[in-house]
Amino acid sequence: MTRFMDVHHNMQGITADQLLEAHRADLAVEGEEGVHFERAWADPESGTVYCLSEGPSAEAVQRVHERSGHKADEIHAVPLAV
């Protein structure tokens, strides 16, 4: 499995409750795509949201986001970590 960091733009004003709701929506369908969403972060001022996941492909990650109603603008593989 590969780790992915995806980025969502234009989510200005997102609240902690909305971020949690979006994360839970991903968790509800992630297993069907073989993906696991580990964590999400947001900057309400800039409208940027970041999600860290693990899965078989960027396409599988995007399918989860599309099904839960918030398509990612960018998805980056992050194969190295320290």
Side-chain angles (χ1 to χ4, degrees), residues 24-71:
R24 286 182 175 158
D26 289 331
L27 295 178
V29 296
E30 68 179 13
E32 296 170 29
E33 296 289 347
V35 173
H36 175 62
F37 283 87
E38 298 177 19
R39 183 167 286 208
W41 300 265
D43 177 358
E45 188 173 319
S46 72
T48 307
V49 173
Y50 303 93
C51 300
L52 180 65
S53 64
E54 195 171 67
S57 67
E59 293 80 16
V61 171
Q62 186 68 283
R63 283 192 299 270
V64 172
H65 278 316
E66 287 174 348
R67 290 176 62 190
S68 55
H70 45 270
K71 183 177 177 181

